Amino acid sequence: MAAPPDLGPNVIIFTPGTPQSTIQQRVNQVFTQQERSQFGANRYAFLFEPGSYNVNVNVGYYTQVIGLGMSPDNTNINGAVHVEADWFGGNATHNFWRGAENLAVAPTGGNDRWAVSQASAYRRMHLKGNLQLDDGGWSSGGFIADSRIDGQVRSGSQQQWYTRDSQIGSWAGSNWNMVFTGVAGAPASTFPSPPHTTVANTPVIREKPFLYSDSSRNYHVFVPAVRNNARGTTWQSGAPAGTSIPISQFFIVKPGTTAAQINAALAQGQHLLVTPGIYRLNQTIQITRPNTVVLGLGLATFIPENGITAMSVADVDGVKIAGILVDAGATNSNTLVQVGPNGSTANHAANPTSLHDLYIRVGGAGVGRATNSLVINSNNVISDHSWIWRGDHGSGVGWNTNTADVGLIVNGNDVTAYGLFVEHYQKYQTIWNGNRGWTYFYQNEMPYDPPNQAAWMNGATRGYAAYKVGHNVTNHEAWGLGSYCNFNVNRSVVGERAFEVPNVPGVRFHSMVTVSLGGAGTINRIINNTGGPSNPQRNVANLANYP
């Protein structure tokens, strides 16, 4: 049997032969450290090799729990893999930055809990019971993909949720915006009463690459194939389509690795496996070769220094970036992540670039500044779960401190986004200039902190839209979009509209909601000059279709 690769100090590998007490003690130790560590510096990944385990894994901040089988059913947890909000009095709205992947869980008593908000992916899981998505208090999640939940998913207080390409026994609950694509067992589309939006199939998707161990304990990364008109999981009917890459073809990035070493490995044609840690970059990570895989474990974090771009991708086929948190540095970066240079024109329809669990943060762990967070210039890119966040709490936040204009700019054509969360930017949250764009689920909060209306004006217009489709776009379609305001510094502030689009037949929006959170401010219109307002008198406003 092969020995596992050296994945650095923050990856903890368990085998079925590891004593139960040893496993439980280690996961408890990490949870105790990470339970409240919202902006802490530690990062962890627990890897469970195929087999059965009796363990209760309470998942804290910057912790990822992963099974190493080719199927979730190869790695069985008898007990729980769960997220609670005990530390915050049941309020799960700050339960970010964690994940569970590729496990079968038989929960004690038949029920498990995943009480999370943004950036907490639940992927490729088989839950042999019911799943509760809140902990009795507020909650603002979340994302499930390529999973089977045998019992009922209960959303509880969740404000919004996106579930993709899964199978569920049933779904109970709704609040403002529940979206399903390619989900067997999903409720019917009934937006806005209740606010369920269901699309039968997912048009084009690639699942996130994942690490696995074969019968000889040799490690590989599996890269799933692109699926068209997908529905249900990739794994229930046998081995999924895709390609295995041996770990020997990966440069393993461990704490202390420099940006120069990373770029040298990429230039030699290696892929990247980024182990848990914080990596300060004094040069841009440059992904120039087609089909390159960058897979992060344990919320591996890149921080650009001196105002550089953290990561840039050439206009090539088939790049996969997965499981990376990019944290803006104190010196302003014009762009944090760029996919394709300006003016990219190549057609990548046969082999698109895909972004999975790509999280971007500006402020919160300290002062961060970036004009634009994610810019997609290439065509045919798939964004599969992103949280692009200008911090509204934590360290280094304030209207003139963590300055950030725009969260996402899409200039490429035929770009598709699933589970897109963009929040608190100071101008437009999302600008979509490319043609034939598709978005399935969008969650937004406008900036909390404009000091007054004069500070947040777009020319003569009050504030900036949460999602702007460019004037020259002739074809764009979006399903299940929510934009909320909480102007808690000055409740008299007004955002004129949440969604701003050209009035042409090919631009269509479905299932939109605006919310004035606790009546703190006003969103005057939902889309263009239609719908709304959401204000102190009427917090929630819905619009089923536009036009």
Side-chain angles (χ1 to χ4, degrees):
M1 292 293 238
D6 179 3
L7 298 179
N10 305 320
V11 175
I12 299 107
I13 301 173
F14 299 125
T15 72
T18 310
Q20 157 72 27
S21 59
T22 301
I23 299 174
Q24 193 65 61
Q25 182 179 22
R26 189 71 174 106
V27 299
N28 290 351
Q29 177 188 24
V30 169
F31 175 72
T32 299
Q33 177 185 290
Q34 297 300 106
E35 181 182 12
R36 298 171 177 267
S37 186
Q38 183 171 179
F39 297 107
N42 293 306
R43 306 282 187 272
Y44 294 97
F46 292 121
L47 307 185
F48 288 85
E49 292 198 351
S52 291
Y53 302 83
N54 298 309
V55 63
N56 180 328
V57 186
N58 203 341
V59 185
Y61 281 106
Y62 309 108
T63 305
Q64 193 179 24
V65 186
I66 301 172
L68 289 177
M70 263 301 287
S71 165
D73 288 332
N74 297 149
T75 310
N76 292 281
I77 303 292
N78 300 303
V81 175
H82 60 118
V83 176
E84 311 290 336
D86 301 337
W87 72 279
F88 207 31
N91 179 349
T93 59
H94 287 195
N95 278 0
F96 314 136
W97 301 307
R98 62 198 78 200
E101 296 186 38
N102 205 28
L103 295 161
V105 181
T108 303
N111 299 296
D112 216 349
R113 189 190 311 276
W114 192 254
V116 299
S117 290
Q118 290 82 4
S120 299
Y122 196 84
R123 286 184 180 271
R124 206 177 159 78
M125 295 289 286
H126 181 190
L127 185 70
K128 300 174 180 180
N130 304 311
L131 187 62
Q132 183 72 36
L133 300 180
D134 74 331
D135 197 8
W138 296 330
S139 51
S140 181
F143 178 87
I144 293 172
D146 200 22
S147 294
R148 174 178 172 175
I149 290 93
D150 291 348
Q152 186 172 73
V153 183
R154 302 164 181 165
S155 64
S157 64
Q158 284 291 349
Q159 296 168 359
Q160 68 279 316
W161 198 276
Y162 177 58
T163 308
R164 178 180 64 65
D165 299 313
S166 294
Q167 179 178 327
I168 62 177
S170 62
W171 181 278
S174 63
N175 199 336
W176 298 329
N177 185 30
M178 303 294 170
V179 181
F180 308 82
T181 67
V183 178
S189 264
T190 50
F191 186 91
S193 183
H196 295 150
T197 302
T198 300
V199 178
N201 299 87
T202 301
V204 56
I205 189 66
R206 174 192 286 124
E207 293 299 336
K208 181 182 178 181
F210 62 90
L211 189 65
Y212 76 98
S213 170
D214 67 20
S215 58
S216 299
R217 293 190 78 197
N218 293 305
Y219 279 53
H220 311 259
V221 170
F222 189 81
V223 180
V226 171
R227 293 201 293 168
N228 294 294
N229 296 314
R231 182 173 175 84
T233 72
T234 60
W235 50 267
Q236 282 176 251
S237 56
T243 305
S244 283
I245 305 173
I247 200 72
S248 59
Q249 295 183 22
F250 281 77
F251 178 68
I252 299 175
V253 181
K254 291 179 281 196
T257 303
T258 66
Q261 290 170 317
I262 293 171
N263 278 328
L266 287 168
Q268 291 164 12
Q270 290 184 282
H271 306 279
L272 300 181
L273 184 67
V274 190
T275 71
I278 294 177
Y279 302 91
R280 295 186 178 274
L281 307 176
N282 58 6
Q283 56 182 253
T284 299
I285 294 174
Q286 296 182 334
I287 302 162
T288 60
R289 292 172 177 261
N291 300 310
T292 300
V293 177
V294 178
L295 177 60
L297 301 177
L299 287 296
T301 302
F302 291 151
I303 303 179
E305 297 182 327
N306 304 317
I308 64 171
T309 296
M311 268 192 297
S312 70
V313 182
D315 192 25
V316 295
D317 275 358
V319 172
K320 299 94 185 169
I321 299 174
I324 297 290
L325 169 60
V326 176
D327 206 355
T331 301
N332 185 74
S333 294
N334 182 65
T335 301
L336 290 173
V337 178
Q338 179 173 285
V339 181
N342 294 336
S344 292
T345 58
N347 184 319
H348 306 290
N351 186 12
T353 282
S354 53
L355 314 174
H356 312 267
D357 302 342
L358 175 62
Y359 308 139
I360 299 178
R361 178 170 71 195
V362 182
V367 175
R369 300 183 177 99
T371 305
N372 307 302
S373 283
L374 173 61
V375 177
I376 298 175
N377 293 315
S378 286
N379 298 323
N380 311 101
V381 173
I382 298 168
S383 174
D384 174 37
H385 189 222
S386 282
W387 187 34
I388 304 170
W389 186 66
R390 173 180 171 259
D392 62 282
H393 64 274
S395 173
V397 300
W399 188 251
N400 297 310
T401 306
N402 61 326
T403 51
D405 283 359
V406 181
L408 171 65
I409 300 174
V410 178
N411 295 319
N413 295 327
D414 302 288
V415 172
T416 310
Y418 304 99
L420 179 58
F421 301 74
V422 186
E423 297 190 292
H424 308 308
Y425 284 82
Q426 293 173 292
K427 293 186 179 177
Y428 291 112
Q429 311 293 306
T430 295
I431 301 173
W432 205 299
N433 296 318
N435 242 324
R436 298 177 301 279
W438 306 71
T439 294
Y440 296 86
F441 180 93
Y442 183 73
Q443 190 262 326
N444 162 259
E445 289 182 357
M446 292 179 173
Y448 284 5
D449 52 343
N452 50 58
Q453 192 69 62
W456 197 51
M457 293 290 291
N458 179 14
T461 302
R462 294 178 293 184
Y464 290 80
Y467 189 115
K468 176 181 173 60
V469 177
H471 297 305
N472 295 323
V473 172
T474 57
N475 193 289
H476 186 99
E477 197 157 6
W479 286 261
L481 305 99
S483 179
Y484 317 147
C485 75
N486 180 25
F487 299 128
N488 57 18
V489 172
N490 187 329
R491 296 166 76 100
S492 70
V493 169
V494 176
E496 189 58 42
R497 58 185 57 86
F499 309 107
E500 183 178 311
V501 307
N503 280 309
V504 295
V507 175
R508 300 182 295 274
F509 276 55
H510 313 282
S511 303
M512 292 161 279
V513 57
T514 57
V515 184
S516 175
L517 296 168
T522 298
I523 300 175
N524 194 41
R525 292 284 179 249
I526 295 177
I527 184 166
N528 291 353
N529 296 318
T530 300
S534 291
N535 58 23
Q537 291 73 45
R538 186 181 76 162
N539 293 174
V540 181
N542 296 293
L543 186 64
N545 291 289
Y546 184 90

